[in-house]
mmCIF file of all heavy atoms in Angstrom:
data_model
loop_
_atom_site.group_PDB
_atom_site.id
_atom_site.type_symbol
_atom_site.label_atom_id
_atom_site.label_comp_id
_atom_site.label_asym_id
_atom_site.label_seq_id
_atom_site.Cartn_x
_atom_site.Cartn_y
_atom_site.Cartn_z
ATOM 1 N N LEU A 1 32.686 105.207 -29.686
ATOM 2 C CA LEU A 1 32.982 106.197 -28.789
ATOM 3 C C LEU A 1 32.753 107.688 -29.348
ATOM 4 O O LEU A 1 33.203 108.536 -28.805
ATOM 5 C CB LEU A 1 34.398 106.095 -28.397
ATOM 6 C CG LEU A 1 34.806 104.867 -27.584
ATOM 7 C CD1 LEU A 1 36.289 104.833 -27.169
ATOM 8 C CD2 LEU A 1 33.999 104.830 -26.148
ATOM 9 N N GLY A 2 31.949 107.715 -30.342
ATOM 10 C CA GLY A 2 31.728 109.019 -30.983
ATOM 11 C C GLY A 2 31.017 110.029 -30.079
ATOM 12 O O GLY A 2 31.466 111.111 -29.848
ATOM 13 N N SER A 3 29.888 109.474 -29.409
ATOM 14 C CA SER A 3 29.146 110.373 -28.458
ATOM 15 C C SER A 3 30.004 110.648 -27.203
ATOM 16 O O SER A 3 29.883 111.722 -26.720
ATOM 17 C CB SER A 3 27.845 109.645 -28.144
ATOM 18 O OG SER A 3 28.125 108.523 -27.516
ATOM 19 N N TRP A 4 30.827 109.751 -26.804
ATOM 20 C CA TRP A 4 31.661 109.931 -25.630
ATOM 21 C C TRP A 4 32.738 111.034 -26.010
ATOM 22 O O TRP A 4 32.944 111.986 -25.178
ATOM 23 C CB TRP A 4 32.397 108.637 -25.419
ATOM 24 C CG TRP A 4 33.521 108.772 -24.371
ATOM 25 C CD1 TRP A 4 33.355 108.899 -22.998
ATOM 26 C CD2 TRP A 4 34.902 108.719 -24.625
ATOM 27 N NE1 TRP A 4 34.667 108.985 -22.426
ATOM 28 C CE2 TRP A 4 35.585 108.929 -23.442
ATOM 29 C CE3 TRP A 4 35.662 108.683 -25.777
ATOM 30 C CZ2 TRP A 4 36.941 108.913 -23.333
ATOM 31 C CZ3 TRP A 4 37.062 108.724 -25.777
ATOM 32 C CH2 TRP A 4 37.750 108.784 -24.501
ATOM 33 N N LEU A 5 33.301 111.072 -27.180
ATOM 34 C CA LEU A 5 34.166 112.096 -27.611
ATOM 35 C C LEU A 5 33.501 113.408 -27.611
ATOM 36 O O LEU A 5 34.131 114.500 -27.218
ATOM 37 C CB LEU A 5 34.766 111.781 -28.990
ATOM 38 C CG LEU A 5 35.672 112.779 -29.633
ATOM 39 C CD1 LEU A 5 36.885 113.046 -28.714
ATOM 40 C CD2 LEU A 5 36.060 112.350 -31.022
ATOM 41 N N GLU A 6 32.243 113.507 -28.122
ATOM 42 C CA GLU A 6 31.574 114.809 -28.117
ATOM 43 C C GLU A 6 31.362 115.353 -26.755
ATOM 44 O O GLU A 6 31.287 116.556 -26.551
ATOM 45 C CB GLU A 6 30.235 114.586 -28.853
ATOM 46 C CG GLU A 6 30.358 114.309 -30.332
ATOM 47 C CD GLU A 6 29.019 114.020 -30.918
ATOM 48 O OE1 GLU A 6 27.994 114.081 -30.119
ATOM 49 O OE2 GLU A 6 28.947 113.819 -32.123
ATOM 50 N N ARG A 7 31.267 114.464 -25.717
ATOM 51 C CA ARG A 7 30.969 114.925 -24.424
ATOM 52 C C ARG A 7 32.315 115.398 -23.629
ATOM 53 O O ARG A 7 32.219 116.040 -22.620
ATOM 54 C CB ARG A 7 30.303 113.839 -23.534
ATOM 55 C CG ARG A 7 28.913 113.515 -23.987
ATOM 56 C CD ARG A 7 28.149 112.719 -22.905
ATOM 57 N NE ARG A 7 28.887 111.431 -22.689
ATOM 58 C CZ ARG A 7 28.713 110.254 -23.340
ATOM 59 N NH1 ARG A 7 27.733 110.331 -24.380
ATOM 60 N NH2 ARG A 7 29.278 109.238 -23.062
ATOM 61 N N LEU A 8 33.401 114.965 -24.160
ATOM 62 C CA LEU A 8 34.638 115.385 -23.555
ATOM 63 C C LEU A 8 34.812 116.904 -23.646
ATOM 64 O O LEU A 8 34.748 117.458 -24.707
ATOM 65 C CB LEU A 8 35.900 114.717 -24.215
ATOM 66 C CG LEU A 8 35.951 113.164 -23.970
ATOM 67 C CD1 LEU A 8 37.183 112.644 -24.746
ATOM 68 C CD2 LEU A 8 36.125 112.874 -22.487
ATOM 69 N N PRO A 9 35.157 117.494 -22.503
ATOM 70 C CA PRO A 9 35.333 118.984 -22.588
ATOM 71 C C PRO A 9 36.358 119.523 -23.579
ATOM 72 O O PRO A 9 36.177 120.515 -24.172
ATOM 73 C CB PRO A 9 35.709 119.355 -21.104
ATOM 74 C CG PRO A 9 36.223 118.106 -20.490
ATOM 75 C CD PRO A 9 35.531 116.998 -21.189
ATOM 76 N N GLY A 10 37.500 118.732 -23.680
ATOM 77 C CA GLY A 10 38.475 119.183 -24.586
ATOM 78 C C GLY A 10 38.551 118.403 -25.838
ATOM 79 O O GLY A 10 39.534 118.630 -26.696
ATOM 80 N N GLY A 11 37.596 117.610 -26.182
ATOM 81 C CA GLY A 11 37.601 116.795 -27.314
ATOM 82 C C GLY A 11 38.836 115.929 -27.444
ATOM 83 O O GLY A 11 39.243 115.304 -26.473
ATOM 84 N N LEU A 12 39.474 115.912 -28.562
ATOM 85 C CA LEU A 12 40.672 115.132 -28.827
ATOM 86 C C LEU A 12 41.834 115.665 -27.870
ATOM 87 O O LEU A 12 42.765 114.830 -27.625
ATOM 88 C CB LEU A 12 41.119 115.172 -30.305
ATOM 89 C CG LEU A 12 40.247 114.541 -31.302
ATOM 90 C CD1 LEU A 12 40.680 114.747 -32.699
ATOM 91 C CD2 LEU A 12 40.252 112.961 -31.070
ATOM 92 N N ASP A 13 41.780 116.861 -27.413
ATOM 93 C CA ASP A 13 42.867 117.369 -26.537
ATOM 94 C C ASP A 13 42.560 117.121 -25.015
ATOM 95 O O ASP A 13 43.266 117.687 -24.276
ATOM 96 C CB ASP A 13 43.003 118.851 -26.764
ATOM 97 C CG ASP A 13 43.529 119.199 -28.178
ATOM 98 O OD1 ASP A 13 44.329 118.372 -28.698
ATOM 99 O OD2 ASP A 13 43.154 120.203 -28.812
ATOM 100 N N SER A 14 41.571 116.339 -24.761
ATOM 101 C CA SER A 14 41.288 116.036 -23.385
ATOM 102 C C SER A 14 42.325 115.133 -22.801
ATOM 103 O O SER A 14 42.742 114.115 -23.409
ATOM 104 C CB SER A 14 39.919 115.309 -23.186
ATOM 105 O OG SER A 14 38.940 116.084 -23.709
ATOM 106 N N GLU A 15 42.768 115.422 -21.553
ATOM 107 C CA GLU A 15 43.788 114.587 -20.855
ATOM 108 C C GLU A 15 43.128 113.362 -20.260
ATOM 109 O O GLU A 15 42.057 113.535 -19.650
ATOM 110 C CB GLU A 15 44.423 115.460 -19.708
ATOM 111 C CG GLU A 15 45.227 116.642 -20.194
ATOM 112 C CD GLU A 15 46.628 116.192 -20.749
ATOM 113 O OE1 GLU A 15 47.063 115.093 -20.430
ATOM 114 O OE2 GLU A 15 47.207 117.075 -21.421
ATOM 115 N N LEU A 16 43.703 112.254 -20.464
ATOM 116 C CA LEU A 16 43.150 111.002 -19.949
ATOM 117 C C LEU A 16 43.592 110.556 -18.536
ATOM 118 O O LEU A 16 43.118 109.567 -18.065
ATOM 119 C CB LEU A 16 43.413 109.844 -20.978
ATOM 120 C CG LEU A 16 42.943 110.043 -22.363
ATOM 121 C CD1 LEU A 16 43.195 108.823 -23.218
ATOM 122 C CD2 LEU A 16 41.483 110.420 -22.360
ATOM 123 N N GLY A 17 44.605 111.280 -17.990
ATOM 124 C CA GLY A 17 45.002 111.008 -16.666
ATOM 125 C C GLY A 17 46.065 109.993 -16.574
ATOM 126 O O GLY A 17 46.350 109.194 -17.523
ATOM 127 N N GLU A 18 46.727 109.861 -15.445
ATOM 128 C CA GLU A 18 47.655 108.867 -15.224
ATOM 129 C C GLU A 18 47.169 107.481 -15.341
ATOM 130 O O GLU A 18 46.238 107.096 -14.715
ATOM 131 C CB GLU A 18 48.301 108.998 -13.813
ATOM 132 C CG GLU A 18 49.514 108.126 -13.542
ATOM 133 C CD GLU A 18 50.730 108.573 -14.221
ATOM 134 O OE1 GLU A 18 50.853 109.849 -14.505
ATOM 135 O OE2 GLU A 18 51.684 107.827 -14.487
ATOM 136 N N ARG A 19 47.705 106.676 -16.292
ATOM 137 C CA ARG A 19 47.292 105.360 -16.599
ATOM 138 C C ARG A 19 45.819 105.296 -17.057
ATOM 139 O O ARG A 19 45.129 104.348 -16.770
ATOM 140 C CB ARG A 19 47.508 104.397 -15.422
ATOM 141 C CG ARG A 19 49.013 104.232 -14.997
ATOM 142 C CD ARG A 19 49.167 103.243 -13.923
ATOM 143 N NE ARG A 19 50.607 103.056 -13.619
ATOM 144 C CZ ARG A 19 51.041 102.295 -12.671
ATOM 145 N NH1 ARG A 19 50.260 101.537 -11.990
ATOM 146 N NH2 ARG A 19 52.299 102.185 -12.359
ATOM 147 N N GLY A 20 45.342 106.437 -17.607
ATOM 148 C CA GLY A 20 44.033 106.365 -18.195
ATOM 149 C C GLY A 20 43.011 106.412 -17.074
ATOM 150 O O GLY A 20 41.917 105.794 -17.248
ATOM 151 N N GLN A 21 43.237 106.980 -15.850
ATOM 152 C CA GLN A 21 42.306 106.898 -14.734
ATOM 153 C C GLN A 21 40.933 107.629 -14.994
ATOM 154 O O GLN A 21 40.024 107.481 -14.290
ATOM 155 C CB GLN A 21 42.950 107.408 -13.423
ATOM 156 C CG GLN A 21 43.295 108.901 -13.582
ATOM 157 C CD GLN A 21 44.041 109.453 -12.256
ATOM 158 O OE1 GLN A 21 44.214 108.611 -11.397
ATOM 159 N NE2 GLN A 21 44.385 110.693 -12.306
ATOM 160 N N ARG A 22 40.933 108.470 -16.092
ATOM 161 C CA ARG A 22 39.689 109.250 -16.303
ATOM 162 C C ARG A 22 38.799 108.578 -17.286
ATOM 163 O O ARG A 22 37.849 109.137 -17.749
ATOM 164 C CB ARG A 22 40.100 110.635 -16.835
ATOM 165 C CG ARG A 22 40.783 111.485 -15.809
ATOM 166 C CD ARG A 22 41.195 112.844 -16.369
ATOM 167 N NE ARG A 22 42.011 113.528 -15.380
ATOM 168 C CZ ARG A 22 42.622 114.745 -15.621
ATOM 169 N NH1 ARG A 22 42.496 115.267 -16.824
ATOM 170 N NH2 ARG A 22 43.364 115.302 -14.693
ATOM 171 N N VAL A 23 39.149 107.303 -17.697
ATOM 172 C CA VAL A 23 38.276 106.536 -18.599
ATOM 173 C C VAL A 23 37.908 105.298 -17.965
ATOM 174 O O VAL A 23 38.655 104.696 -17.128
ATOM 175 C CB VAL A 23 38.935 106.315 -19.993
ATOM 176 C CG1 VAL A 23 39.334 107.640 -20.705
ATOM 177 C CG2 VAL A 23 40.347 105.580 -19.771
ATOM 178 N N SER A 24 36.820 104.707 -18.411
ATOM 179 C CA SER A 24 36.371 103.406 -17.837
ATOM 180 C C SER A 24 37.097 102.271 -18.552
ATOM 181 O O SER A 24 37.858 102.416 -19.499
ATOM 182 C CB SER A 24 34.869 103.162 -18.089
ATOM 183 O OG SER A 24 34.562 103.063 -19.561
ATOM 184 N N GLY A 25 36.866 100.987 -18.024
ATOM 185 C CA GLY A 25 37.551 99.914 -18.637
ATOM 186 C C GLY A 25 37.159 99.669 -20.124
ATOM 187 O O GLY A 25 37.963 99.287 -20.878
ATOM 188 N N GLY A 26 35.895 99.765 -20.342
ATOM 189 C CA GLY A 26 35.455 99.712 -21.792
ATOM 190 C C GLY A 26 35.936 100.674 -22.698
ATOM 191 O O GLY A 26 36.342 100.450 -23.904
ATOM 192 N N GLU A 27 36.011 101.999 -22.165
ATOM 193 C CA GLU A 27 36.599 103.053 -23.014
ATOM 194 C C GLU A 27 38.047 102.853 -23.208
ATOM 195 O O GLU A 27 38.545 103.088 -24.361
ATOM 196 C CB GLU A 27 36.306 104.393 -22.298
ATOM 197 C CG GLU A 27 34.821 104.744 -22.240
ATOM 198 C CD GLU A 27 34.538 105.796 -21.174
ATOM 199 O OE1 GLU A 27 35.500 106.234 -20.395
ATOM 200 O OE2 GLU A 27 33.415 106.318 -21.162
ATOM 201 N N ARG A 28 38.777 102.373 -22.136
ATOM 202 C CA ARG A 28 40.223 102.164 -22.382
ATOM 203 C C ARG A 28 40.400 101.072 -23.433
ATOM 204 O O ARG A 28 41.309 101.178 -24.286
ATOM 205 C CB ARG A 28 40.808 101.664 -21.028
ATOM 206 C CG ARG A 28 42.207 101.172 -21.128
ATOM 207 C CD ARG A 28 42.554 100.261 -19.897
ATOM 208 N NE ARG A 28 42.421 101.010 -18.715
ATOM 209 C CZ ARG A 28 43.417 101.682 -18.044
ATOM 210 N NH1 ARG A 28 44.620 101.706 -18.655
ATOM 211 N NH2 ARG A 28 43.175 102.226 -16.931
ATOM 212 N N GLN A 29 39.644 99.999 -23.370
ATOM 213 C CA GLN A 29 39.777 98.910 -24.306
ATOM 214 C C GLN A 29 39.533 99.386 -25.773
ATOM 215 O O GLN A 29 40.261 99.050 -26.645
ATOM 216 C CB GLN A 29 38.814 97.780 -23.931
ATOM 217 C CG GLN A 29 39.157 96.404 -24.548
ATOM 218 C CD GLN A 29 38.446 95.287 -23.951
ATOM 219 O OE1 GLN A 29 37.354 95.453 -23.496
ATOM 220 N NE2 GLN A 29 39.109 94.152 -23.778
ATOM 221 N N ARG A 30 38.481 100.214 -25.913
ATOM 222 C CA ARG A 30 38.244 100.708 -27.220
ATOM 223 C C ARG A 30 39.174 101.707 -27.752
ATOM 224 O O ARG A 30 39.435 101.785 -28.966
ATOM 225 C CB ARG A 30 36.692 101.182 -27.305
ATOM 226 C CG ARG A 30 35.671 100.015 -27.383
ATOM 227 C CD ARG A 30 34.328 100.592 -27.426
ATOM 228 N NE ARG A 30 33.865 101.015 -26.115
ATOM 229 C CZ ARG A 30 32.584 101.510 -25.926
ATOM 230 N NH1 ARG A 30 31.808 101.553 -26.950
ATOM 231 N NH2 ARG A 30 32.270 101.798 -24.786
ATOM 232 N N ILE A 31 39.812 102.393 -26.831
ATOM 233 C CA ILE A 31 40.909 103.234 -27.265
ATOM 234 C C ILE A 31 42.068 102.541 -27.762
ATOM 235 O O ILE A 31 42.697 102.821 -28.815
ATOM 236 C CB ILE A 31 41.352 104.209 -26.086
ATOM 237 C CG1 ILE A 31 40.260 105.266 -25.727
ATOM 238 C CG2 ILE A 31 42.706 104.901 -26.421
ATOM 239 C CD1 ILE A 31 40.583 106.025 -24.562
ATOM 240 N N GLY A 32 42.408 101.404 -27.127
ATOM 241 C CA GLY A 32 43.431 100.520 -27.655
ATOM 242 C C GLY A 32 43.129 99.917 -28.949
ATOM 243 O O GLY A 32 43.945 99.765 -29.816
ATOM 244 N N LEU A 33 41.734 99.530 -29.071
ATOM 245 C CA LEU A 33 41.370 98.965 -30.377
ATOM 246 C C LEU A 33 41.403 99.984 -31.528
ATOM 247 O O LEU A 33 41.909 99.708 -32.635
ATOM 248 C CB LEU A 33 39.968 98.434 -30.220
ATOM 249 C CG LEU A 33 39.196 97.830 -31.391
ATOM 250 C CD1 LEU A 33 40.109 96.674 -31.945
ATOM 251 C CD2 LEU A 33 37.823 97.401 -31.102
ATOM 252 N N ALA A 34 40.997 101.214 -31.217
ATOM 253 C CA ALA A 34 41.093 102.317 -32.200
ATOM 254 C C ALA A 34 42.522 102.571 -32.608
ATOM 255 O O ALA A 34 42.817 102.844 -33.807
ATOM 256 C CB ALA A 34 40.500 103.572 -31.668
ATOM 257 N N ARG A 35 43.443 102.463 -31.665
ATOM 258 C CA ARG A 35 44.837 102.609 -31.959
ATOM 259 C C ARG A 35 45.346 101.511 -32.910
ATOM 260 O O ARG A 35 46.047 101.892 -33.851
ATOM 261 C CB ARG A 35 45.638 102.608 -30.707
ATOM 262 C CG ARG A 35 47.021 103.131 -30.704
ATOM 263 C CD ARG A 35 47.562 103.563 -29.372
ATOM 264 N NE ARG A 35 47.317 102.511 -28.320
ATOM 265 C CZ ARG A 35 47.402 102.794 -27.013
ATOM 266 N NH1 ARG A 35 47.616 104.047 -26.671
ATOM 267 N NH2 ARG A 35 47.299 101.879 -26.126
ATOM 268 N N ALA A 36 44.871 100.274 -32.710
ATOM 269 C CA ALA A 36 45.306 99.195 -33.560
ATOM 270 C C ALA A 36 44.763 99.412 -34.987
ATOM 271 O O ALA A 36 45.382 99.071 -35.989
ATOM 272 C CB ALA A 36 44.849 97.916 -32.984
ATOM 273 N N LEU A 37 43.464 99.773 -35.092
ATOM 274 C CA LEU A 37 42.829 100.011 -36.413
ATOM 275 C C LEU A 37 43.562 101.171 -37.175
ATOM 276 O O LEU A 37 43.779 101.131 -38.373
ATOM 277 C CB LEU A 37 41.316 100.276 -36.209
ATOM 278 C CG LEU A 37 40.514 99.194 -35.696
ATOM 279 C CD1 LEU A 37 39.071 99.688 -35.437
ATOM 280 C CD2 LEU A 37 40.514 98.013 -36.723
ATOM 281 N N LEU A 38 43.934 102.201 -36.374
ATOM 282 C CA LEU A 38 44.562 103.323 -37.038
ATOM 283 C C LEU A 38 45.954 102.995 -37.578
ATOM 284 O O LEU A 38 46.390 103.706 -38.532
ATOM 285 C CB LEU A 38 44.692 104.514 -35.988
ATOM 286 C CG LEU A 38 45.147 105.846 -36.408
ATOM 287 C CD1 LEU A 38 44.095 106.522 -37.284
ATOM 288 C CD2 LEU A 38 45.372 106.831 -35.184
ATOM 289 N N ALA A 39 46.643 102.013 -37.063
ATOM 290 C CA ALA A 39 47.916 101.692 -37.492
ATOM 291 C C ALA A 39 48.061 101.188 -38.902
ATOM 292 O O ALA A 39 49.052 101.317 -39.604
ATOM 293 C CB ALA A 39 48.584 100.629 -36.530
ATOM 294 N N ARG A 40 46.912 100.629 -39.386
ATOM 295 C CA ARG A 40 46.879 100.117 -40.819
ATOM 296 C C ARG A 40 47.941 99.108 -41.137
ATOM 297 O O ARG A 40 48.581 99.225 -42.167
ATOM 298 C CB ARG A 40 46.842 101.292 -41.816
ATOM 299 C CG ARG A 40 45.722 102.213 -41.712
ATOM 300 C CD ARG A 40 45.783 103.368 -42.668
ATOM 301 N NE ARG A 40 44.715 104.268 -42.618
ATOM 302 C CZ ARG A 40 44.561 105.456 -43.331
ATOM 303 N NH1 ARG A 40 45.580 105.750 -44.129
ATOM 304 N NH2 ARG A 40 43.505 106.117 -43.206
ATOM 305 N N ARG A 41 48.221 98.162 -40.265
ATOM 306 C CA ARG A 41 49.251 97.203 -40.521
ATOM 307 C C ARG A 41 48.544 95.989 -41.131
ATOM 308 O O ARG A 41 47.336 95.697 -40.969
ATOM 309 C CB ARG A 41 50.025 96.862 -39.166
ATOM 310 C CG ARG A 41 50.784 98.059 -38.788
ATOM 311 C CD ARG A 41 51.527 97.727 -37.503
ATOM 312 N NE ARG A 41 52.420 98.934 -37.160
ATOM 313 C CZ ARG A 41 53.286 98.930 -36.124
ATOM 314 N NH1 ARG A 41 53.287 97.904 -35.349
ATOM 315 N NH2 ARG A 41 54.004 99.967 -35.848
ATOM 316 N N PRO A 42 49.312 95.141 -41.779
ATOM 317 C CA PRO A 42 48.788 94.019 -42.582
ATOM 318 C C PRO A 42 48.210 92.884 -41.663
ATOM 319 O O PRO A 42 47.384 92.091 -42.150
ATOM 320 C CB PRO A 42 49.854 93.554 -43.394
ATOM 321 C CG PRO A 42 51.134 93.962 -42.734
ATOM 322 C CD PRO A 42 50.760 95.289 -42.170
ATOM 323 N N VAL A 43 48.548 92.798 -40.412
ATOM 324 C CA VAL A 43 48.008 91.824 -39.438
ATOM 325 C C VAL A 43 47.389 92.562 -38.264
ATOM 326 O O VAL A 43 48.070 93.403 -37.646
ATOM 327 C CB VAL A 43 49.090 90.898 -39.021
ATOM 328 C CG1 VAL A 43 48.482 89.791 -38.105
ATOM 329 C CG2 VAL A 43 49.753 90.144 -40.239
ATOM 330 N N LEU A 44 46.196 92.208 -37.953
ATOM 331 C CA LEU A 44 45.489 92.785 -36.786
ATOM 332 C C LEU A 44 45.337 91.772 -35.795
ATOM 333 O O LEU A 44 44.581 90.688 -35.999
ATOM 334 C CB LEU A 44 44.101 93.356 -37.291
ATOM 335 C CG LEU A 44 43.343 94.368 -36.411
ATOM 336 C CD1 LEU A 44 44.184 95.537 -36.154
ATOM 337 C CD2 LEU A 44 42.070 94.810 -37.160
ATOM 338 N N LEU A 45 45.891 91.953 -34.637
ATOM 339 C CA LEU A 45 45.865 90.973 -33.507
ATOM 340 C C LEU A 45 45.231 91.602 -32.380
ATOM 341 O O LEU A 45 45.718 92.462 -31.740
ATOM 342 C CB LEU A 45 47.404 90.632 -33.178
ATOM 343 C CG LEU A 45 47.579 89.586 -32.103
ATOM 344 C CD1 LEU A 45 46.926 88.253 -32.407
ATOM 345 C CD2 LEU A 45 49.098 89.421 -31.865
ATOM 346 N N LEU A 46 44.001 91.028 -31.984
ATOM 347 C CA LEU A 46 43.192 91.650 -30.962
ATOM 348 C C LEU A 46 42.849 90.655 -29.873
ATOM 349 O O LEU A 46 42.338 89.524 -30.067
ATOM 350 C CB LEU A 46 41.819 92.088 -31.580
ATOM 351 C CG LEU A 46 41.854 92.841 -32.887
ATOM 352 C CD1 LEU A 46 40.438 93.290 -33.340
ATOM 353 C CD2 LEU A 46 42.739 94.228 -32.633
ATOM 354 N N ASP A 47 43.357 90.910 -28.667
ATOM 355 C CA ASP A 47 43.172 90.000 -27.548
ATOM 356 C C ASP A 47 41.961 90.469 -26.633
ATOM 357 O O ASP A 47 41.993 91.486 -26.041
ATOM 358 C CB ASP A 47 44.474 90.043 -26.669
ATOM 359 C CG ASP A 47 44.482 88.932 -25.694
ATOM 360 O OD1 ASP A 47 43.555 88.191 -25.534
ATOM 361 O OD2 ASP A 47 45.649 88.792 -24.993
#
């Protein structure tokens, strides 16, 4: 999502909207995945 982030008008400060309505299904899923990777926990559970 690097290029997608560059296109966002506010970058990391861009609002994603109620229930993430401003992102697609694939973008939503990868945001959740990025969150899991960022947590740095010993077990990674991806559904």
Side-chain angles (χ1 to χ4, degrees):
L1 291 178
S3 58
W4 170 77
L5 175 60
E6 292 175 359
R7 293 194 301 270
L8 290 179
L12 291 171
D13 294 326
S14 297
E15 296 281 343
L16 301 185
E18 187 73 26
R19 298 184 180 180
Q21 63 182 359
R22 296 178 185 172
V23 298
S24 68
E27 290 161 356
R28 174 201 298 269
Q29 197 166 39
R30 281 181 281 181
I31 289 170
L33 179 57
R35 197 157 51 197
L37 293 174
L38 189 67
R40 294 180 180 174
R41 293 183 177 179
V43 179
L44 197 55
L45 180 58
L46 311 179
D47 191 356

